[in-house]
Amino acid sequence: MSVAGLRHAVRQSVSGLPREFWWLWTSTLVNRLGAFVATFMALYLTLDRGYSASYAGLVAALHGLGGVVSSLGAGVMTDRLGRRPTLLVAQTSTALSVALLGFVRDPVAIAAVAFLVGMASNASRPAVQAMMADIVRPEDRIRAFSLNYWAINLGFAISSMGAGFVAEVSYLAGFLIEAGMTLVCAVLVFVKLPESRPEKPARGAAAADEPPVSLMTVLRDGRYMSVVGLSFLVALVFQQGYLGLPVAMGEAGFTPADFGAAIAVNGVLIVVLQLPVTRFIEHRDPRRLLVVSSLLAGYGFGLTAFAGSVGVFALTVCVWTLAEIVNAPTQTGLVVRLSPVHGRGRYQGMYTMSWAVASLVAPLMSGFVIDHWGAGWLWGMCAVVGTVAAVGYGALMRRLPAEEPATAEATVAGKPAKPEEITEPAEPEVGAA
């Protein structure tokens, strides 16, 4: 592709999105650039503090449990208090708890603070996704979610390399750097992002026709909870890239450097391919995309059973990374599509919880299967789970509701609309199967 063609492709990928989206995108990128705790927690506890691997695993589990606990609470806060206050509370709390984690020494205190870090860091996700749905037109959402996912992976790739050098000097410095960058995100939100929560209809006929949205509303929404369940299955599969894969490669005699070389393909491909692949899939049938991505994920990991060299492991990573590139923005777009406008926070919180629970279950699953039956069974199970998810998406989405028109959103030409400019659509039927 020529330079002019590349510029045109980039311009098409980023044009037409509101200014508020780019400030939110910048906040996401800055936050991921400082992702030190998630990357080096295990090494910090075992190498720097001298604790056992079992204790490090317990702390990691508590960190994940904190994310599970906060998902639903943050979703409720997002709807009741607003997107902006929830982001401010979550990011400020994350900064303070991460800084504290660098100073505590008692093992019980470390575990307790790690739980708080997990709660605080995960609490911003429902608000970010709900705000993005508020400010971006429906036809641009897949592209917006893809750009946000690209920022997450770009920031994580850069931070992983930089954090390695920081860790050689001082782990405490890494914690403080992450705390400082998270505070920068909070400042960006406070200064640049207005509240985007759609206003509820005034009392009268419109308000009477719109039932209140609670957590029980979400739980009773059979179609949406089916999506959450399928998302959990897909998340279980993707988690094996960072849990089952390193263990299996280690048992097969490969070194940590070999695993690093194989898994690095994941980050590189996402950074390179996320935007052009999104342009290709942006207006395609989400049902087919989710079915294909689930199969690619399951069988991408399934092929790992036949890998005998670093090169072949890297090829399997290419397969399931392509699934990740397609699945992430499509799945997030589907979640928004099935969420009532005034319940987006709660719905996003439930979706976020599916990934948080998967991060707890996946290490237990991979460890048990590898210890009792071997890695080959784990990869076979991944293929089965991916197939089940694909069949589930295919059956579930036959009655997918139509996408709401652009005028339905609380934005007009990228700016918050005045009440008279908004034509609110009928809410999706709650509980439809």
Side-chain angles (χ1 to χ4, degrees), residues 146 149-154 242 264-276 320-322 324-325:
S146 181
Y149 190 68
W150 183 76
I152 290 172
N153 284 276
L154 176 62
Y242 310 97
V265 174
N266 174 257
V268 171
L269 284 181
I270 289 176
V271 171
V272 172
L273 296 181
Q274 185 71 63
L275 298 185
W320 58 259
T321 297
L322 181 59
E324 187 178 358
I325 290 172

Side-chain angles (χ1 to χ4, degrees), residues 309-353:
S309 66
V310 176
V312 178
F313 276 112
L315 286 176
T316 66
V317 172
C318 289
V319 177
W320 58 259
T321 297
L322 181 59
E324 187 178 358
I325 290 172
V326 174
N327 180 273
T330 308
Q331 176 74 62
T332 310
L334 175 63
V335 168
V336 173
R337 195 166 174 176
L338 295 177
S339 305
V341 172
H342 299 292
R344 280 176 179 158
R346 290 174 174 85
Y347 274 68
Q348 290 288 353
M350 187 66 71
Y351 169 64
T352 300
M353 191 184 72

Side-chain angles (χ1 to χ4, degrees), residues 4-5 30 95 109-110 130 151 155 165 182 186 231 267 286 299 323 354 382 385 390 399 420:
V30 172
I110 290 174
F165 293 105
T182 307
S231 171
Y299 287 94
S354 70
C382 286
V385 172
R399 297 173 60 188
E420 61 269 19

Side-chain angles (χ1 to χ4, degrees), residues 37-284:
V37 172
T39 309
F40 286 93
M41 173 65 81
L43 292 177
Y44 166 69
L45 293 175
T46 55
L47 298 182
D48 191 67
R49 307 309 316 160
Y51 293 113
S52 66
S54 297
Y55 174 76
L58 172 64
V59 172
L62 287 172
H63 182 274
L65 180 62
V68 174
V69 171
S70 69
S71 297
L72 297 182
V76 174
M77 285 179 60
T78 298
D79 284 338
R80 288 188 176 179
L81 300 182
R83 286 60 160 139
R84 187 169 176 262
T86 303
L87 280 174
L88 288 172
V89 170
Q91 292 176 343
T92 303
S93 301
T94 300
L96 295 176
S97 58
V98 166
L100 179 62
L101 188 60
F103 289 100
V104 293
R105 294 292 181 266
D106 180 75
V108 176
I110 290 174
V113 176
F115 175 78
L116 294 177
V117 171
M119 284 187 64
S121 59
N122 202 59
S124 63
R125 295 181 182 180
V128 168
Q129 292 167 343
M131 179 176 278
M132 205 166 292
D134 295 338
I135 63 181
V136 175
R137 296 178 303 176
E139 60 267 30
D140 292 331
R141 281 185 188 145
I142 296 296
R143 184 158 52 100
F145 289 134
S146 181
L147 284 165
N148 192 64
Y149 190 68
W150 183 76
I152 290 172
N153 284 276
L154 176 62
F156 185 76
I158 296 173
S159 70
S160 297
M161 294 183 290
F165 293 105
V166 173
E168 291 184 1
V169 178
S170 169
Y171 281 93
L172 176 60
F175 287 113
L176 295 179
I177 289 173
E178 176 167 351
M181 297 191 79
T182 307
L183 277 179
V184 170
C185 294
V187 172
L188 281 175
V189 170
F190 180 76
V191 174
K192 294 294 184 179
L193 288 175
E195 178 55 56
S196 67
R197 181 179 57 175
E199 293 294 334
K200 292 186 177 181
R203 292 184 179 181
D209 291 339
E210 181 181 295
V213 179
S214 66
L215 285 177
M216 287 306 299
T217 306
V218 184
L219 292 172
R220 287 194 298 263
D221 189 337
R223 179 175 54 198
Y224 183 79
M225 290 306 298
S226 298
V227 170
V228 171
L230 294 173
S231 171
F232 169 75
L233 293 180
V234 173
L236 273 182
V237 175
F238 283 131
Q239 289 285 335
Q240 299 311 319
Y242 310 97
L243 299 168
L245 184 59
V247 173
M249 289 185 69
E251 289 192 349
F254 293 95
T255 67
D258 293 330
F259 168 70
I263 201 63
V265 174
N266 174 257
V268 171
L269 284 181
I270 289 176
V271 171
V272 172
L273 296 181
Q274 185 71 63
L275 298 185
V277 169
T278 298
R279 290 183 58 214
F280 177 75
I281 69 173
E282 189 173 2
H283 300 296
R284 297 183 182 273

